[in-house]
């Protein structure tokens, strides 16, 4: 019977040293404080501010078509009717998303019944109340959400995106 000649004899002392290092690394990771919730905002890519509409243009749970950061990037504004994380406006319920699936670039459809954007290509679904989080399907990233600001006149401005837009190598204009 042939023996494998490529084995390495670590030895007891080296094995224990490696285990101690692994335990110390784990203890350090547990002891460190969790990253603040604002860390997600650091991933945002700032684009030039662009007016997308006015609060008066929006109807609860009906999509309002927009383009951001340029005319080649279709998107939607939604007034969800209940405050959500990342929501803008007086009620904290206005959100905006790209309407191009991050998986293969299919145009997304809004389903008011469950407040999701759905892809007809490979059936990915994105929860608009949870920041565009993917809840089903082939996509490997969440839906790009706009960073919105609403001024005193009710005008809605987009000022950045939190994910890579489909079909772009980077989030630059």
């Amino acid at each position: 019977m042939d023996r494998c000649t490529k084995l390495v004899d670590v030895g007891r002392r080296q094995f224990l040293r490696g285990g101690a290092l692994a335990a110390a690394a784990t203890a350090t990771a547990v002891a460190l404080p969790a990253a603040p919730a604002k860390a997600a905002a650091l991933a945002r890519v700032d684009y030039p501010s662009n007016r997308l509409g006015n609060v008066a243009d929006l109807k609860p749970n009906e999509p309002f078509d927009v383009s951001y950061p340029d005319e080649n990037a279709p998107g939607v504004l939604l007034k969800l009717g209940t405050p959500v994380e990342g929501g803008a406006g007086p009620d904290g319920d206005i959100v905006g998303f790209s309407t191009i699936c991050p998986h293969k670039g299919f145009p997304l459809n809004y389903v008011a019944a469950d407040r999701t954007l759905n892809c007809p290509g490979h059936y990915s679904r994105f929860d608009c109340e949870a920041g565009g989080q993917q809840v089903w399907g082939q996509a490997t990233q969440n839906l790009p959400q706009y960073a919105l600001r609403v001024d005193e006149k009710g005008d809605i401005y987009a000022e950045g995106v939190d994910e890579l837009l489909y079909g772009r190598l980077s989030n630059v204009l």
Side-chain angles (χ1 to χ4, degrees):
M1 181 163 141
D2 294 330
R3 286 188 60 134
C4 178
T5 60
K6 307 244 185 244
L7 293 176
V8 175
D9 183 16
V10 173
R12 187 179 76 170
R13 199 170 275 165
Q14 186 65 26
F15 176 78
L16 291 174
R17 186 179 303 139
L21 287 173
T26 302
T28 302
V30 170
L32 290 176
K38 299 236 181 216
L42 297 176
R44 183 178 105 185
V45 176
D46 292 327
Y47 284 112
S49 185
N50 190 6
R51 182 185 180 278
L52 300 179
N54 189 284
V55 173
D57 298 331
L58 305 178
K59 295 181 178 124
N61 216 20
E62 288 186 24
F64 181 79
D65 292 331
V66 296
S67 293
Y68 184 75
D70 55 42
E71 66 279 348
N72 297 321
V76 67
L77 288 177
L78 298 164
K79 181 169 178 57
L80 298 173
T82 57
V84 293
E85 187 175 338
D91 301 324
D93 65 343
I94 299 171
V95 292
F97 298 98
S98 167
T99 54
I100 299 296
C101 183
H103 176 236
K104 292 285 184 180
F106 284 89
L108 301 174
N109 303 309
Y110 183 66
V111 177
D114 63 0
R115 297 180 178 171
T116 59
L117 282 161
N118 300 315
C119 179
H122 298 103
Y123 310 111
S124 290
R125 299 177 65 222
F126 304 92
D127 187 343
C128 296
E129 293 178 306
Q133 181 178 356
Q134 179 194 353
V135 293
W136 182 258
Q138 302 292 322
T140 58
Q141 76 178 53
N142 295 331
L143 196 59
Q145 183 174 8
Y146 303 152
L148 299 177
R149 172 180 60 86
V150 179
D151 70 10
E152 64 282 346
K153 296 181 285 186
D155 289 332
I156 304 166
Y157 294 87
E159 299 182 329
V161 179
D162 70 352
E163 295 276 352
L164 182 64
L165 297 170
Y166 178 81
R168 300 186 185 208
L169 298 177
S170 64
N171 276 340
V172 284
L173 289 176

